Amino acid sequence: MTGVDPSRLDDLQLMKELETIHRTRHDTLLYGSNDALRAHNERMAQLEGEYLRRNPRRLVSAGRTREGARERGCGEAATPGT
């Protein structure tokens, strides 16, 4: 495994790691080697899994569900508060 075990990160560190990995995702997909993409996928899954474990009751926007997407008109925001 690359990086600190996500379960050992405090909440602030976990969010910082998630923000970083999501920010670098596009470039890794477009320009990274297969090994780099595989490592990125694994690390992202670990970090996201830890986030979900810690936040099982996180806010879910109705617009981000299948039913909400069907009801959403073209151009409507799908995130809370937007």
Side-chain angles (χ1 to χ4, degrees), residues 35-65:
D35 287 341
L37 186 57
R38 190 174 308 108
H40 203 272
N41 288 342
E42 290 172 11
R43 182 64 173 168
M44 187 169 4
Q46 292 167 351
L47 294 167
E48 289 177 345
E50 181 63 20
Y51 177 83
L52 293 173
R53 184 188 71 74
R54 293 183 193 188
N55 299 282
R57 298 177 193 268
R58 72 191 192 289
L59 177 64
V60 175
S61 172
R64 299 298 297 185
T65 64

Side-chain angles (χ1 to χ4, degrees), residues 17-79:
E17 289 286 321
L18 282 165
E19 289 168 2
T20 298
I21 204 158
H22 285 124
R23 188 174 55 251
T24 60
R25 179 64 181 169
H26 190 73
D27 283 344
T28 304
L29 176 63
L30 294 180
Y31 308 114
S33 67
N34 288 340
D35 287 341
L37 186 57
R38 190 174 308 108
H40 203 272
N41 288 342
E42 290 172 11
R43 182 64 173 168
M44 187 169 4
Q46 292 167 351
L47 294 167
E48 289 177 345
E50 181 63 20
Y51 177 83
L52 293 173
R53 184 188 71 74
R54 293 183 193 188
N55 299 282
R57 298 177 193 268
R58 72 191 192 289
L59 177 64
V60 175
S61 172
R64 299 298 297 185
T65 64
R66 287 183 186 186
E67 183 177 333
R70 286 187 204 104
E71 293 175 3
R72 188 173 59 238
C74 187
E76 286 185 39
T79 55

